[in-house]
Structure formats: structure tokens, C-alpha cells
Amino acid sequence: MQYEFITCESAYQSHIALVRLNRPKELNALNLQLMQELKHALQTLDNNEDVRCIIITGNEKAFAAGADIKQMESRTAIDMLIIDQFETWDQIRKTKKPVIAAVSGFCLGGGCELAMTCDMIIASESAKFGQPEIKIGIMPGAGGTQRLTRAVGKALAMEMVLTGKFISAEEAWQAGLVNRVVPEEVYLEEAVKLANEVAQQSPVAIRLAKESVLKAFDSGLQEGLYFERKNFYMCFASEDQKEGMNAFVEKRKPNFKGK
Ligand code: DAK
């Protein structure tokens, strides 16, 4: 598939892929085609055995300023129902490999929701997070009311969703929305460093571990613990478990194959 609104590069040696949202003049506003392209890229990378960690980024000025308001302006509820963008968003959320958002500049509305769909967020000092949908007469629709509340707690989430106010990268870090804040010059480098650390681990264990952490969001403690236990047992069915433990005993670096 030829992409118009994203770019996608993979460094197979380091097992990392970089997907860049690329509508700079529109601050990477997420139109339908961009989201389709993103879905396609993530599915392709998820199925590529050489890829172990994916980074989604934008540019210094914007990760994404939200869904494309100009495209949505004249839509009716039935248009929205028929277009069923949720299918695309659901597929993106189902990416099995770890996904890191490298965020600089505006990260708003659907952009913030996309970043929160990722597994970890590295923010540049210039990043601004917000759910400003309320200011254009709607509300968050792709997880903003749920994921933001779980990440930052009710008080701040309610204020952001009801007033549309932006928070700085520093505030986002203090509230627990992002993993860390680094100078703008190095935010992508920092995301690559983190991706490298993840990519060095066993892909099997990484997949099971990601699944288990996400389970904590939609289950009670007992069910989550039970799920974790099953995935823990499953690790022992992998060659990577033997290799990892053997390498520890032999005092060498493990060579994980994802088997
Ligand atoms: N959509 C379309 N165009 C946008 C845009 C957006 N969200 N954000 C910015 N742009 C465009 C501007 O219109 C402008 O284009 P031209 O006028 O030059 O043609 C260009 O990008 C530069 O923007 P500004 O001139 O406004 O730049 P400033 O630095 O002055 O301001 C700003 C930056 C980010 C504060 C401002 O652009 C702004 O407020 N943008 C809108 C932010 C916003 O309200 N975001 C939430 C959108 S609603 C769903 C899933 C998700 C969603 C909905 C449904 N389903 C699964 C069903 C999500 C909804 C949303 O995100």
C-alpha cells in the first residue's frame, strides 16, 4: 500500500519500526485516510517477525491535533455510524507488539487518544496534551474519557474533558500520563532507546506481558491474576525462556528468537 499521510521505516537489525504521522500543514489532523493507513501499517508491522517494537511519532510541532474537524464538520450521526471509524481504532488498539508514542507539540483530542492507545509515551518538553472536543460541541469518542481518567485520575481528567484545557508535558508526567519528559532535540532518540530495550527481550514474553498488563484495565483483580498466571505458564513453553535462563546461568547475553 502506498501511504500519503504517514511514512513507515523499519530498522530490521535493531527490530524497530518507526511510523510517522505526516500531514504537517494540518498539524497531523487525523483524517479517515490517515487512520486507514496507520491501521494498515500497524497490521503489517505486527505480522512482520523482524519487528519487535513500533514507535509512532509526528513532528516537533504536533503529534496530532485531533481528528480532522473539517472532515467531520458536516457529518450526521448516521454518517458516523456507517463510516464506523471505531473499527479502525479497534484494530489499532489490538496491535500485539509494543507501541511507543514519541510526542512533541500538540497532542490533542483523537491525537491524545491515539497516544494513550500506545503502551508508553515519551514526551518532549514542548508537548501539550488535551481533550478539547468540548470546545467544538462534542466530547471525546475514542477512549478519552476512559483512558485519560485511568491514567491521571478523576479530578484532572474531568477538568480537561469539561474545559478542554491543555496540560504541559511536565504536568502530564506528574499526573502519570507519560513515561518521561526530555528536551525536544532528543525525544525521538529517547523513544528509540526505550524501543531498543524492549526489542532486546523475548518477543514471546513481551507479547504475553503486554497482554497481561492491558488485562488490568478491563478485569477485576482475581480475573487479572488468573490471566497473568496462564500467560506466565505459557512463557515456559517458549524456547526463549530456556535461552534466557540458560544465558543467565552461563553469564552471557541471551539470543531471543521469538519462538
Ligand atoms: N482538524 C483539522 N484541521 C486542523 C486541526 C484539526 N483537528 N487542527 C489544526 N488544523 C489545521 C488548522 O485548521 C490550520 O489549517 P489552515 O487554516 O492553515 O488551513 C492548520 O492546521 C494550523 O492550525 P492553526 O492555524 O490553528 O495553528 P495554531 O498554532 O494557531 O493552533 C491548535 C494550534 C492545535 C491550538 C489549533 O489548531 C486547534 O485548536 N486545533 C483543533 C484542536 C481540536 O479541537 N482537536 C480535537 C478535534 S476533535 C472518533 C475518534 C476520534 C475522534 C472522533 C471520533 N471515532 C472513532 C468515531 C476525535 C475527535 C477529535 O479529535
Side-chain angles (χ1 to χ4, degrees):
M1 183 174 176
Q2 275 300 100
Y3 299 134
E4 185 181 349
F5 296 129
I6 65 169
T7 63
C8 181
E9 7 168 330
S10 312
Y12 291 136
Q13 263 176 339
S14 51
H15 303 294
I16 294 170
L18 178 72
V19 179
R20 191 184 284 278
L21 311 178
N22 193 28
R23 283 187 85 200
K25 277 203 216 111
E26 293 82 6
L27 303 179
N28 290 334
L30 307 168
N31 64 13
L32 291 180
Q33 185 181 331
L34 186 153
M35 292 307 291
Q36 284 293 337
E37 291 178 7
L38 183 60
K39 175 178 100 170
H40 181 272
L42 291 175
Q43 282 180 333
T44 307
L45 296 169
D46 221 18
N47 291 328
N48 182 337
E49 274 190 25
D50 290 325
V51 174
R52 295 187 181 178
C53 190
I54 302 164
I55 299 170
I56 302 179
T57 194
N59 54 53
E60 282 69 23
K61 198 154 178 236
F63 177 74
D68 191 326
I69 301 170
K70 292 166 191 165
Q71 199 174 46
M72 281 187 298
E73 187 192 356
S74 60
R75 293 245 156 87
T76 66
I78 302 304
D79 293 336
M80 297 297 272
L81 180 81
I82 290 167
I83 294 167
D84 189 17
Q85 280 186 72
F86 290 107
E87 194 272 332
T88 307
W89 284 77
D90 284 347
Q91 285 305 325
I92 289 173
R93 182 179 52 80
K94 285 182 189 157
T95 308
K96 295 186 224 44
K97 290 183 182 156
V99 185
I100 297 169
V103 174
S104 185
F106 297 111
C107 185
L108 308 174
C112 189
E113 290 170 317
L114 176 62
M116 290 190 292
T117 303
C118 298
D119 302 309
M120 291 180 275
I121 303 177
I122 298 293
S124 98
E125 282 165 351
S126 69
K128 288 174 257 322
F129 297 85
Q131 297 290 159
E133 289 90 338
I134 206 78
K135 293 186 170 172
I136 52 168
I138 58 169
M139 59 173 278
T145 63
Q146 303 303 301
R147 290 201 181 90
L148 186 66
T149 307
R150 283 168 164 82
V152 307
K154 178 185 163 190
L156 183 55
M158 198 62 101
E159 192 177 335
M160 288 171 73
V161 169
L162 298 191
T163 70
K165 87 166 200 167
F166 302 167
I167 58 169
S168 67
E170 185 60 28
E171 286 171 290
W173 179 72
Q174 277 172 15
L177 181 60
V178 307
N179 290 71
R180 50 188 156 276
V181 182
V182 296
E184 194 179 280
E185 306 79 72
V186 296
Y187 78 100
L188 194 52
E189 209 175 289
E190 190 68 21
V192 171
K193 235 188 261 174
L194 180 59
N196 256 317
E197 273 184 58
V198 173
Q200 279 169 32
Q201 317 307 325
S202 156
V204 179
I206 286 280
R207 176 170 166 177
L208 294 170
K210 167 173 170 167
E211 224 178 65
S212 302
V213 173
L214 289 178
K215 189 73 183 171
F217 288 93
D218 59 13
S219 68
L221 182 61
Q222 269 316 316
E223 190 192 339
L225 287 171
Y226 187 65
F227 188 87
E228 179 191 73
R229 195 166 307 169
K230 293 281 180 201
N231 277 1
F232 175 76
Y233 288 146
M234 181 95 85
C235 290
F236 283 78
S238 71
E239 290 173 22
D240 282 352
Q241 173 267 330
K242 301 284 172 293
E243 167 63 10
M245 294 193 176
N246 192 249
F248 176 82
V249 173
E250 292 178 354
K251 297 188 188 299
R252 62 175 173 83
K253 260 187 100 181
N255 177 18
F256 292 124
K257 300 213 168 83
K259 303 270 182 222

